Amino acid sequence: MTTSAALTPEQARARLHELTVIDVRTPGEYASGHLPGAHNVPLAQLDRALGALRHAALRGSLLVVCAGGDRSAQACRRLAAHGVAATALSGGTAAWAARGYDVHRAEGARAVWAMERQVRLAAGSLVLCGLLAGRRWPKARVLSAGIAGGLVFSALTDTCGMAHVLARLPCNRPRADGLDAALTALAGRRAGAR
């Protein structure tokens, strides 16, 4: 199976009642605002969720969402490789919210930066540290060169090792009961139910 073309926010909103929405962002990002009825299955947990996602896809269309569209497109490719059809939301949650569409937030949730912003902060900080330390210890510049090389590799392969590492931070990790609840809901969700 292949992934179908991405849906625009307008198309997704019109069909939201018939879609099973899967948000592949980290739990912290998800809690800070997600599409109505979305289930949080972080990209790093996608393999664990394959059975439940396959079951949900048999009942109706899957819409995969992230912050800007990159992670959801990656998730759709991974799902397609396992025979699960899914569609990404073009522009992600950012495009959805920019149009003024309803965004649900977990009650009492604190805002967590988007993963892309976390990566920029970490990469920039490490490069700056390498350059500053390199003034005193020239070999410390290797840190800056390593991060630069990692960013180039990330762009060429459309992957991000730093995001995988940052996803393990406590604020980005799924609570076991949260992911289990999402998987249970996906495995038992009735068609048309949100």
Side-chain angles (χ1 to χ4, degrees), residues 11-91:
Q11 293 168 324
R13 184 173 184 233
R15 295 184 51 205
L16 196 58
H17 65 281
E18 66 187 55
L19 298 170
T20 300
V21 182
I22 309 300
D23 192 318
V24 294
R25 296 176 299 159
T26 66
E29 291 175 290
Y30 171 82
S32 65
H34 55 271
L35 273 66
H39 300 277
N40 186 217
V41 179
L43 186 59
Q45 299 292 320
L46 202 62
D47 290 339
R48 179 177 169 206
L50 275 173
L53 292 171
R54 183 175 285 115
H55 193 73
L58 291 173
R59 291 188 307 271
S61 300
L62 297 182
L63 177 66
V64 182
V65 181
C66 68
D70 293 335
R71 286 178 280 177
S72 57
Q74 183 181 354
C76 285
R77 287 191 300 270
R78 285 173 58 188
L79 289 170
H82 291 281
V84 179
T87 304
L89 177 64
S90 180

Side-chain angles (χ1 to χ4, degrees), residues 50-179:
L50 275 173
L53 292 171
R54 183 175 285 115
H55 193 73
L58 291 173
R59 291 188 307 271
S61 300
L62 297 182
L63 177 66
V64 182
V65 181
C66 68
D70 293 335
R71 286 178 280 177
S72 57
Q74 183 181 354
C76 285
R77 287 191 300 270
R78 285 173 58 188
L79 289 170
H82 291 281
V84 179
T87 304
L89 177 64
S90 180
T93 306
W96 179 274
R99 285 165 179 76
Y101 298 156
D102 191 24
V103 176
H104 291 189
R105 288 176 176 76
E107 195 165 319
R110 56 188 179 95
V112 173
W113 286 0
M115 186 55 69
E116 291 84 3
R117 187 174 181 190
Q118 292 180 45
V119 167
R120 289 192 308 264
L121 175 67
S125 297
L126 289 170
V127 168
L128 185 59
C129 286
L131 291 174
L132 291 174
R135 295 182 71 193
R136 176 93 167 135
W137 304 282
K139 290 184 180 183
R141 292 185 189 135
V142 171
L143 175 63
S144 298
I147 296 299
L151 291 171
V152 170
F153 179 79
S154 175
L156 293 174
T157 61
D158 197 24
T159 61
C160 186
M162 189 174 289
H164 291 290
V165 171
L166 292 172
R168 293 188 173 110
L169 291 174
C171 64
N172 291 326
R173 274 188 298 194
R175 290 186 0 242
D177 59 340
L179 182 59

